[in-house]
C-alpha cells in the first residue's frame, strides 16, 4: 500500500511540474495579473492534492486544474465588485485550447523579458511564472540566495503592473531587443531539466523537453535568427545522448564512458544541419558556438577520436563572446586534452574566487589533481564539490570518489 501511494504521489508531482507553467500562462492571459494567477494555480494544485490521491489522476489533468482554478476564482470574485466582468472572461474562454496555449506561453515569456525590467528580474520571473521552477531551483541556477530571487520576482511583478507592460509578443521591430533574454531563460530551463539542481532524480526530462519545444516555437517565430537556431541545435544535440547518460541503476555516466551506439544518430545529423544553417549566416553568437562544440563531441566516433584542436579553437571564440567564469572553466577542461592537466589546473586555479560556490569547479579541479597524482588534494576538492550539489546522480558519483 505504501509503495502504491508513493507511486501515486510521484505521478501527481510529475503532472504538477508539467502543468504549473502552462496553467499560470493561461490565467495571466485571462486576468492580466501575475499575483492572482499564481494564487489560483496554488489553489488548484492544493485541490488536486486533496482529490487525486483518492480519486486518481484525471484523464485530462490540465482541464481539471483549469476548472479547479476557475471555481476558486469564482469563490474569490463573489466578494469583489468586478466579479461579473472577470467571470465573463473565464466563461467565454476555452479551457484547453492547444493553439492558444502556445501563444500564451510565448506572450508570457516576452512579457517577462520586457526591457523595462532588469535582466536578473526578467530571468527569475520567467522561470517562476512560465516554467514553474521553485524559488530554490532558480536560486541554485543563479548561484545566489532564495531571498534574493524572491525579491527580484516581487519587484518584477510590481514593475509590470506600474509600467502597464502589455501582455503580448512584441512587434517585429522590438523582438530582437528581447531575444537574448528569452534565449537565456530557455537555456537555463533546459539545463535544469538536463541535470536537475534538486529533486529526487538526476534529470527532469519534462523540463528539458519543454525548453526544446519552446525553442522550436521561437525558431518558427524568428526563422532567420541564428542564435535561436543555435540554441535549438544545442538542445537537440544534448537530447540525442539522453539514452546513454545514465546506467540501469540511475548512475550518471560521463561523456568519455558513454556507449555511443545508444546515441540518436538521426537527431545528431538533424541538429548538425541546424548548426550549419546558423553559422552560414555569419553572425556568430554564444549558442551557435556551444552547439558547434557539442556537434564535435557528438560526431566523434570514439572519445579518443574527439577533435580537441577544433574544440579548443571554438572555445577560444566562445570566451571572446562570453568571458564568464563558467565558460572559462569549460575552456580549461578542453585545454587539458591539448596541453595536459598541469596547464589546465593553472588556468582553473585563477577562477577560484569567482567559482568558489560552484560544485563543478571543485569536481573538475579534483579530476585534474588525480591526474597529477595528488590524491589527498583531489579528495578534498571532491568533498567541497559534494557539499555544494544537491543533484542525486552527481552526489552518487562524487561520493564514490570520496568514500
Amino acid at each position: 500500500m505504501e509503495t502504491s501511494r508513493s507511486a501515486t504521489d510521484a505521478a501527481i508531482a510529475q503532472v504538477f511540474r508539467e502543468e504549473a507553467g502552462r496553467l499560470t500562462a493561461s490565467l495571466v492571459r485571462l486576468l492580466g495579473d501575475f499575483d492572482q494567477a499564481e494564487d489560483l494555480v496554488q489553489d488548484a494544485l492544493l485541490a488536486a492534492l486533496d482529490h487525486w490521491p483518492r480519486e486518481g489522476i484525471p484523464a485530462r489533468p490540465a482541464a481539471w486544474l483549469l476548472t479547479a482554478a476557475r471555481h476558486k476564482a469564482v469563490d474569490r470574485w463573489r466578494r469583489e465588485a468586478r466579479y461579473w466582468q472577470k467571470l465573463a472572461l473565464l466563461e467565454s474562454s476555452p479551457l484547453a485550447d492547444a493553439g492558444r496555449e502556445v501563444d500564451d506561453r510565448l506572450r508570457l515569456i516576452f512579457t517577462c523579458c520586457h526591457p523595462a525590467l532588469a535582466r536578473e528580474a526578467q530571468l527569475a520571473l520567467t522561470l517562476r511564472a512560465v516554467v514553474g521552477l521553485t524559488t530554490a531551483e532558480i536560486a541554485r541556477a543563479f548561484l545566489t540566495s532564495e531571498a534574493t530571487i524572491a525579491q527580484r520576482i516581487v519587484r518584477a511583478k510590481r514593475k509590470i503592473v506600474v509600467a502597464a507592460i502589455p501582455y503580448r509578443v512584441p512587434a517585429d521591430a522590438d523582438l530582437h531587443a528581447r531575444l537574448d533574454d528569452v534565449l537565456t531563460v530557455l537555456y537555463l530551463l533546459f539545463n535544469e531539466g538536463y541535470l536537475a539542481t534538486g529533486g529526487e532524480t538526476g534529470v527532469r526530462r519534462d523540463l528539458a523537453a519543454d525548453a526544446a519545444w519552446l525553442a522550436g516555437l521561437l525558431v518558427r517565430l524568428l526563422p532567420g535568427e541564428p542564435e535561436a537556431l543555435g540554441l535549438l541545435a544545442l538542445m537537440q544535440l544534448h537530447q540525442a545522448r539522453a539514452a546513454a547518460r545514465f546506467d540501469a541503476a540511475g548512475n550518471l555516466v560521463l561523456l568519455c564512458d558513454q556507449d555511443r551506439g545508444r546515441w540518436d544518430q538521426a537527431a545528431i545529423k538533424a541538429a548538425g544541419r541546424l548548426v550549419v544553417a546558423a553559422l552560414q549566416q555569419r553572425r556568430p553568437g554564444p549558442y551557435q558556438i556551444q552547439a558547434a562544440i557539442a556537434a564535435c563531441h557528438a560526431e566523434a566516433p570514439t572519445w579518443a577520436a574527439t577533435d580537441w584542436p577544433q574544440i579548443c579553437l571554438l572555445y577560444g571564440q566562445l570566451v571572446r563572446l562570453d568571458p564568464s567564469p563558467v565558460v572559462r572553466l569549460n575552456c580549461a577542461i578542453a585545454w587539458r586534452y591539448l596541453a595536459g592537466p598541469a596547464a589546465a589546473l593553472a588556468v582553473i586555479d585563477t577562477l577560484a574566487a569567482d567559482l568558489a560556490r560552484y560544485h563543478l569547479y571543485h569536481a573538475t579541479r579534483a579530476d585534474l589533481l588525480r591526474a597529477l597524482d595528488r590524491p589527498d588534494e583531489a579528495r578534498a576538492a571532491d568533498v567541497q564539490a559534494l557539499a555544494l550539489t544537491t543533484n542525486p546522480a552527481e552526489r552518487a558519483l562524487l561520493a564514490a570518489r570520496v568514500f
Side-chain angles (χ1 to χ4, degrees):
M1 179 67 72
E2 192 65 33
T3 301
S4 176
R5 178 57 188 268
S6 297
T8 300
D9 290 346
I12 291 173
Q14 176 71 15
V15 172
F16 286 1
R17 284 195 294 269
E18 293 173 354
E19 300 299 341
R22 297 185 179 94
L23 182 57
T24 302
S26 295
L27 291 173
V28 170
R29 172 178 57 80
L30 296 173
L31 307 177
D33 187 309
F34 274 97
D35 289 329
Q36 279 198 347
E38 287 197 325
D39 286 347
L40 290 173
V41 169
Q42 293 304 311
D43 287 345
L45 296 181
L46 288 173
L49 281 175
D50 183 44
H51 288 272
W52 291 3
R54 301 192 311 270
E55 302 168 6
I57 299 174
R60 298 174 62 218
W64 194 101
L65 289 169
L66 278 164
T67 300
R70 174 186 176 277
H71 290 159
K72 296 294 182 181
V74 169
D75 291 342
R76 290 185 181 206
W77 296 336
R78 287 188 193 281
R79 298 184 296 272
E80 296 182 9
R82 296 180 63 195
Y83 162 69
W84 292 109
Q85 178 186 352
K86 291 183 175 180
L87 180 58
L89 286 173
L90 285 177
E91 293 285 7
S92 63
S93 301
L95 290 180
D97 184 330
R100 181 161 288 182
E101 177 196 313
V102 170
D103 187 51
D104 282 347
R105 301 192 76 194
L106 279 178
R107 285 185 179 189
L108 190 51
I109 288 173
F110 277 102
T111 299
C112 293
C113 292
H114 193 280
L117 303 177
R119 182 181 178 84
E120 294 84 359
Q122 292 174 348
L123 301 179
L125 180 59
T126 307
L127 291 171
R128 182 71 186 91
V130 181
V131 178
L133 295 187
T134 66
T135 304
E137 289 169 335
I138 300 168
R140 284 192 290 267
F142 280 103
L143 305 180
T144 189
S145 69
E146 290 185 47
T148 297
I149 294 299
Q151 289 172 359
R152 289 177 186 173
I153 292 171
V154 169
R155 286 196 296 266
K157 290 178 182 177
R158 188 179 299 125
K159 180 73 172 183
I160 287 175
V161 173
V162 172
I165 293 173
Y167 173 66
R168 63 178 177 82
V169 175
D172 290 347
D174 298 322
L175 275 173
H176 293 278
R178 303 190 205 178
L179 182 61
D180 285 348
D181 295 318
V182 172
L183 291 173
T184 300
V185 166
L186 297 182
Y187 181 61
L188 288 173
L189 169 58
F190 183 83
N191 285 344
E192 177 62 28
Y194 192 68
L195 198 61
T197 57
E200 298 179 359
T201 60
V203 63
R204 293 175 61 177
R205 290 181 180 170
D206 57 318
L207 290 183
D210 207 22
W213 178 71
L214 288 168
L217 290 182
L218 196 60
V219 166
R220 289 198 288 275
L221 181 66
L222 297 168
E225 176 50 56
E227 277 292 81
L229 284 169
L231 180 58
L232 179 59
L234 177 63
M235 292 177 178
Q236 291 181 348
L237 285 163
H238 285 315
Q239 286 181 311
R241 297 195 294 107
R245 291 185 63 234
F246 294 87
D247 64 19
N251 298 310
L252 187 65
V253 181
L254 299 179
L255 178 62
C256 58
D257 299 321
Q258 288 178 13
D259 179 1
R260 298 183 181 223
R262 300 183 65 194
W263 291 3
D264 186 339
Q265 294 300 324
I268 289 171
K269 290 178 181 177
R273 290 193 290 271
L274 289 178
V275 175
V276 171
L279 293 175
Q280 282 178 338
Q281 299 188 45
R282 300 189 180 280
R283 286 188 286 147
Y287 296 115
Q288 298 168 67
I289 304 301
Q290 288 184 69
I293 292 168
C296 285
H297 283 297
E299 292 167 0
T302 64
W303 175 254
T306 302
D307 189 349
W308 291 110
Q310 178 64 22
I311 289 174
C312 287
L313 180 65
L314 289 167
Y315 265 120
Q317 296 178 34
L318 183 59
V319 168
R320 285 191 287 275
L321 292 168
D322 177 13
S324 67
V326 172
V327 170
R328 285 185 283 149
L329 172 66
N330 290 329
C331 182
I333 292 171
W335 181 239
R336 166 192 181 170
Y337 296 99
L338 285 186
L345 182 62
V347 175
I348 285 174
D349 281 345
T350 66
L351 305 173
D354 292 320
L355 297 177
R357 302 295 301 168
Y358 186 45
H359 69 286
L360 291 180
Y361 166 78
H362 297 287
T364 299
R365 193 167 179 276
D367 194 39
L368 293 171
L369 289 166
R370 270 192 299 275
L372 293 169
D373 196 24
R374 294 159 62 179
D376 292 340
E377 293 172 85
R379 185 180 183 280
D382 273 329
V383 168
Q384 286 182 286
L386 183 60
L388 291 171
T389 182
T390 56
N391 180 279
E394 288 182 316
R395 289 187 61 81
L397 182 65
L398 291 166
R401 295 174 178 174
V402 170
F403 302 110

